[in-house]
Amino acid sequence: HVQLVESGGGSVQAGGSLRLSCAPSGLTYRRICIGWFRQAPGEEREEVASIGSDARIRYADSVKGRFTISQDIANKTVYLQMDSLKPDDTAMYYCAASNPPCAGTWYRRADRGQGTQVTVS
């Protein structure tokens, strides 16, 4: 049973920072694509960042240079460091994991957590 437990969301002023964490368990994929997507009310889901099975990292254009995804190999926890936050970053952030590739809308077919809210004012 796959579980992805997110933490670290909250409210912050524009220009501030937050660090999200995703602790996965029960993953049975031989190779994995893991990362974050977000969804604001009334908006489509949007990939934020991902790490592929080949360690290739992808970022949405809207977060490049501001967000950093990383993974602790030992415990598989995935982090999303978010700096220079903007009001447009306000959304529910979800951790997602799937078989590779990390391409297209992979997050739509992925296992996901319950999400953590990020609000930037």
Side-chain angles (χ1 to χ4, degrees):
H1 176 61
V2 175
Q3 279 194 309
L4 300 162
V5 180
E6 302 101 335
S7 61
S11 296
V12 66
Q13 291 189 333
S17 298
L18 286 172
R19 189 191 196 205
L20 306 184
S21 299
C22 171
S25 62
L27 297 178
T28 59
Y29 307 114
R30 275 195 170 182
R31 298 186 301 154
I32 191 170
C33 170
I34 191 165
W36 298 86
F37 70 93
R38 65 188 180 186
Q39 188 166 24
E43 301 289 333
E44 292 289 323
R45 278 174 275 185
E46 175 191 28
E47 179 182 6
V48 176
S50 62
I51 302 175
S53 57
D54 56 359
R56 181 174 296 184
I57 290 178
R58 287 164 34 125
Y59 292 103
D61 287 342
S62 57
V63 308
K64 280 180 183 175
R66 301 188 297 121
F67 291 11
T68 304
I69 189 171
S70 61
Q71 185 173 27
D72 184 321
I73 300 300
N75 60 26
K76 296 186 173 66
T77 299
V78 178
Y79 302 97
L80 185 68
Q81 178 66 41
M82 305 187 295
D83 298 317
S84 302
L85 282 160
K86 304 175 181 179
D88 283 350
D89 296 316
T90 296
M92 186 71 81
Y93 284 69
Y94 298 90
C95 180
S98 175
N99 287 311
C102 281
T105 56
W106 67 272
Y107 47 90
R108 292 185 180 275
R109 55 177 167 80
D111 291 302
R112 70 178 197 184
Q114 293 196 333
T116 185
Q117 177 68 38
V118 171
T119 303
V120 185
S121 59

